Amino acid sequence: MTLVAAPKIEEEQLLPLIVPLGTENDGAPLKRAPLRGPLGQQLLSANLIASDELEAALSLQAENGKKLGEALLELGFANEEQLLPFIETQLGVPGVRLREGMLDPIAVRILPRGLAQSLTVLALFRVKKTLIVATDDPLDLDMIDRIERFTGLNVRTVFAFKAAIDRMLRRVYDEDFRVDAVTADLDDADVELQLETSDVDVASVHDLVEGSPVVNLINYLILQAIRKNASDIHIEPSRNFASVRFRIDGQLVEMLRPRRDIYPAMVSRIKVMAKLDIAEQRIPQDGRCQVVADGKQVDLRISTLPTVLGEKIVIRVLDKQRLTFNLDKLGISSETLTMVKALLAKPHGLLLVTGPTGSGKTTTLYSALELIKSVQRNIITVEDPVEYQIELVNQVQVDSARGVSFPTALRSILRQDPDVIMVGEIRDAETAQVAVQAALTGHLVLSTLHTNDSVSAITRMMDMGIESYKLAAALVGVVAQRLVRTICPHCRTSYYPSEEYLSALHYQGDRRRSFSKGEGCRECFDSGFQGRIGIYEVLPANADLRRLIAQEAGLETIMEYVKEQNYPTLLRCGLELAEREESSLEEIGRVAFFE
């Protein structure tokens, strides 16, 4: 292995590559046709606020001289996301929700603290000779003229709420203020690309990237994704600029807008890292590479997809140090954990883990393998792809181009004298047939299936053509799971949900109690959440359930039986989290409530 270090990133190299959020490719604000009529009437017409709420906001505005939007925010009648589109169209300038991820500390300090506080403005970005400034009065020509005379730069304004500007001003001039997105903080050892000399000519790669600001930009994106615990980096083109979004806690957050003209160079750099064909732009490609960032080794899985505007890139960030393959540390309740461990203790049979993509099924299966692996057991997995390597486990990668599919790999595995088989996913009837047959012939088979709940896994297997008597004999249990976001500790607040919402969630506890939620802050990208935790439901296949399966009972019949057994459900597990104030009721309803 040879380590190729990217050159040190210089601020003046990187800043011209970035287009401020809410601007066109040349740095000019997006132009919108203002609507007619006062803001309050526009909000009423859109049914965003009620007439009595408008009167209360106008009364507060008259008392303290605040603007109407600020008054509505203070009273809690609307939020920034709802108000900004109306204010943007009225003023004819873009509006932004301020957060550290969109600030350049170098640009911030172009304006002295005293001047910024007296004018209530915040410098966001500098693009060549243009300074982008956030203000609550973007049409104030005297303010714009004063900043232009002081800085010698052209000033373009964007709208931000005064409270948000004041909040940021208290932070950004502190000596310890560092936005991780600032590439000036990076040095040669921050991000190192690990290449195999047998596959790539290291000298030519080094010559290609020497001194390139695009390399610095890609290194910066990777480093920030790792530091912010992002699971994916989405890099995609649009007509006027490129867009970079991070998937954090399951939600996409826009981080940067690189200039559109450098986008092809960004794609080429990523392809070089993943050893993909740079010249091929018409078909999807997949690759992977390793980087060393902040002293730890991280795997990157890279996928390209041709679109009408160019190739879209998605980088999956696989940080082993951030994951814990331990069932006891996944947040499973003691009652549910006991049931799961009992299912894993079975000598043979089929155990299914169900849920949508991104619900943590692979982590649960890997944690199960960590629990049951030993030198006395032959454990073999077949996965697409193999995301993490586990000691004492033989892992097989699916490769359709070479004829290695789930069914063919499974048949070969059965000739390897396995004790435990893990199938990454049951996607088709053939894989389901082989998996069930393996469970019936004395092997413990673990696999995943895409269904909404545990009961639906039974009917899905029968829909795939599995005979009911075989499924009844093979199945040992089903675990359904979801990931819900946990409340940000920095902006936690209490509130009382409505009686109607509690009834909709079938909440059976004390309806007079308060619950918690996050208001949104810079630490959580204004989402109100930070981190995720799993919720689980377990359906063990006992004698009564096996009898219903063998009789080909319908979904409703099986669900009625499960309700009678009072097994833990996803919704019940989620409501317990809300009662412990680890997550919000709205998040539980979004993730776990379905008919």
Side-chain angles (χ1 to χ4, degrees):
M1 294 288 184
T2 301
L3 297 180
V4 179
K8 185 172 182 177
I9 293 178
E10 301 294 341
E11 298 94 326
E12 59 270 19
Q13 285 182 315
L14 184 61
L15 290 179
L17 305 182
I18 309 301
V19 176
L21 302 182
T23 63
E24 297 283 8
N25 198 34
D26 61 357
L30 295 171
K31 296 178 175 59
R32 296 176 175 84
L35 297 178
R36 296 179 179 272
L39 175 62
Q41 294 301 319
Q42 293 292 329
L43 297 175
L44 285 176
S45 300
N47 294 322
L48 187 61
I49 59 173
S51 56
D52 57 337
E53 293 175 338
L54 176 59
E55 290 176 4
L58 291 173
S59 175
L60 179 62
Q61 180 185 16
E63 290 176 5
N64 56 26
K66 290 188 175 182
K67 295 182 179 180
L68 179 59
E70 296 279 356
L72 289 169
L73 284 178
E74 183 173 330
L75 293 171
F77 295 153
N79 57 43
E80 290 189 16
E81 285 184 344
Q82 294 170 322
L83 293 174
L84 279 176
F86 294 88
I87 297 175
E88 284 180 323
T89 51
Q90 272 216 332
L91 298 176
V93 298
V96 296
R97 296 186 66 192
L98 294 178
R99 61 178 187 273
E100 284 189 13
M102 66 184 298
L103 299 179
D104 172 15
I106 300 172
V108 165
R109 293 171 185 264
I110 291 176
L111 297 180
R113 182 198 290 259
L115 179 62
Q117 289 178 336
S118 65
L119 297 177
T120 314
V121 297
L122 182 65
L124 301 180
F125 277 94
R126 176 182 175 178
V127 181
K128 297 180 180 179
K129 293 295 184 180
T130 300
L131 184 65
I132 311 299
V133 175
T135 171
D136 68 330
D137 190 2
L139 303 181
D140 185 347
L141 298 180
D142 290 337
M143 175 269 296
I144 295 173
D145 182 61
R146 185 173 174 184
I147 296 176
E148 287 185 339
R149 282 189 282 108
F150 181 86
T151 62
L153 301 172
N154 297 321
V155 171
R156 293 193 181 275
T157 55
V158 297
F159 173 83
F161 287 100
K162 183 178 185 298
I165 296 174
D166 289 338
R167 183 176 66 249
M168 295 301 297
L169 285 175
R170 289 192 294 269
R171 172 81 177 115
V172 297
Y173 285 94
D174 292 344
E175 287 301 321
D176 63 341
F177 177 70
R178 292 289 186 274
V179 179
D180 287 340
V182 180
T183 57
D185 287 342
L186 300 178
D187 57 36
D188 292 349
D190 276 327
V191 179
E192 296 176 324
L193 173 61
Q194 200 165 15
L195 299 172
E196 296 184 15
T197 55
S198 59
D199 295 327
V200 178
D201 183 348
V202 176
S204 64
V205 171
H206 187 72
D207 292 340
L208 175 66
V209 305
E210 185 70 37
S212 169
V214 172
V215 174
N216 300 335
L217 178 57
I218 298 301
N219 285 354
Y220 145 68
L221 294 176
I222 294 170
L223 185 62
Q224 298 321 304
I226 294 170
R227 289 179 176 176
K228 296 181 185 300
N229 294 329
S231 61
D232 300 270
I233 307 172
H234 290 245
I235 307 173
E236 51 203 10
S238 65
R239 295 192 181 278
N240 299 318
F241 45 79
S243 174
V244 177
R245 297 183 290 172
F246 289 175
R247 188 174 292 279
I248 301 174
D249 296 334
Q251 303 295 312
L252 285 173
V253 179
E254 187 172 36
M255 305 303 295
L256 287 178
R257 285 184 176 178
R259 291 202 334 251
R260 182 66 174 89
D261 58 336
I262 69 165
Y263 186 77
M266 294 174 63
V267 172
S268 297
R269 169 58 185 165
I270 295 171
K271 285 184 173 181
V272 168
M273 294 173 62
K275 295 173 282 189
L276 301 178
D277 185 355
I278 297 178
E280 182 56 71
Q281 301 177 359
R282 296 169 297 176
I283 61 174
Q285 298 186 68
D286 295 290
R288 62 191 311 154
C289 66
Q290 288 184 335
V291 298
V292 178
D294 286 343
K296 58 184 179 181
Q297 193 176 76
V298 178
D299 292 335
L300 303 178
R301 202 172 72 221
I302 297 167
S303 171
T304 73
L305 179 69
T307 72
V308 293
L309 296 176
E311 290 182 280
K312 171 180 167 63
I313 304 285
V314 175
I315 303 175
R316 171 64 57 87
V317 182
L318 304 173
D319 186 356
K320 297 179 183 178
Q321 298 183 21
R322 192 160 52 90
L323 290 179
T324 301
F325 296 136
N326 186 331
L327 282 177
D328 296 319
K329 296 181 179 180
L330 294 184
I332 308 177
S333 67
S334 57
E335 177 188 5
T336 304
L337 183 60
T338 300
M339 297 172 69
V340 172
K341 288 183 175 180
L343 297 179
L344 291 172
K346 302 285 185 181
H348 55 79
L350 175 64
L351 174 60
L352 296 173
V353 180
T354 73
T357 300
S359 59
K361 301 187 297 298
T362 300
T363 300
T364 300
L365 284 181
Y366 279 178
S367 301
L369 293 180
E370 284 284 355
L371 177 68
I372 64 179
K373 73 178 185 181
S374 71
V375 293
Q376 287 82 30
R377 276 182 155 175
N378 178 21
I379 301 178
I380 306 178
T381 74
V382 52
E383 306 170 59
D384 183 22
V386 175
E387 293 190 353
Y388 300 98
Q389 297 180 12
I390 306 176
E391 294 286 339
L392 297 178
V393 176
N394 304 285
Q395 296 171 270
V396 178
Q397 170 79 49
V398 168
D399 189 347
S400 301
R402 299 180 180 178
V404 183
S405 61
F406 278 112
T408 56
L410 268 175
R411 293 189 182 94
S412 299
I413 288 171
L414 290 174
R415 294 191 286 271
Q416 291 283 317
D417 186 31
D419 297 299
V420 180
I421 302 171
M422 195 268 273
V423 183
E425 181 184 347
I426 294 179
R427 298 177 177 175
D428 50 52
E430 189 177 5
T431 304
Q433 292 283 1
V434 180
V436 169
Q437 193 61 40
L440 290 172
T441 53
H443 307 91
L444 179 61
V445 180
L446 313 178
S447 187
T448 69
L449 197 64
H450 285 171
T451 61
N452 281 336
D453 53 25
S454 54
V455 175
S456 299
I458 297 172
T459 55
R460 178 68 54 82
M461 292 292 286
M462 289 194 285
D463 289 341
M464 286 185 176
I466 304 298
E467 293 88 344
S468 58
Y469 68 91
K470 284 187 177 181
L471 183 60
L475 190 67
V476 298
V478 184
V479 178
Q481 69 177 79
R482 295 289 191 281
L483 290 177
V484 298
R485 294 176 293 173
T486 52
I487 298 171
C488 173
H490 304 283
C491 59
R492 178 190 298 272
T493 185
S494 297
Y495 76 109
Y496 291 91
S498 66
E499 180 73 20
E500 293 77 14
Y501 192 71
L502 291 173
S503 299
L505 290 179
H506 308 299
Y507 181 67
Q508 302 299 321
D510 181 8
R511 300 195 175 189
R512 295 171 298 177
R513 57 158 293 168
S514 65
F515 289 84
S516 289
K517 66 178 180 179
E519 289 188 317
C521 64
R522 61 183 177 86
E523 298 291 339
C524 61
F525 299 97
D526 297 315
S527 68
F529 299 96
Q530 194 173 77
R532 290 190 292 178
I533 191 171
I535 56 174
Y536 303 83
E537 70 178 28
V538 181
L539 176 61
N542 56 24
D544 292 333
L545 181 59
R546 293 178 191 276
R547 190 180 310 111
L548 289 174
I549 296 173
Q551 295 171 355
E552 300 186 9
L555 180 64
E556 293 79 7
T557 303
I558 298 177
M559 291 188 72
E560 285 298 325
Y561 165 77
V562 171
K563 287 181 181 178
E564 293 173 1
Q565 303 305 306
N566 198 30
Y567 291 134
T569 64
L570 290 171
L571 183 58
R572 191 172 100 188
C573 182
L575 291 176
E576 289 174 358
L577 282 181
E579 287 180 330
R580 297 199 300 269
E581 300 186 355
E582 295 183 41
S583 188
S584 69
L585 281 174
E586 288 74 16
E587 176 71 359
I588 300 305
R590 180 185 72 85
V591 174
F593 181 69
F594 45 85
E595 297 295 337

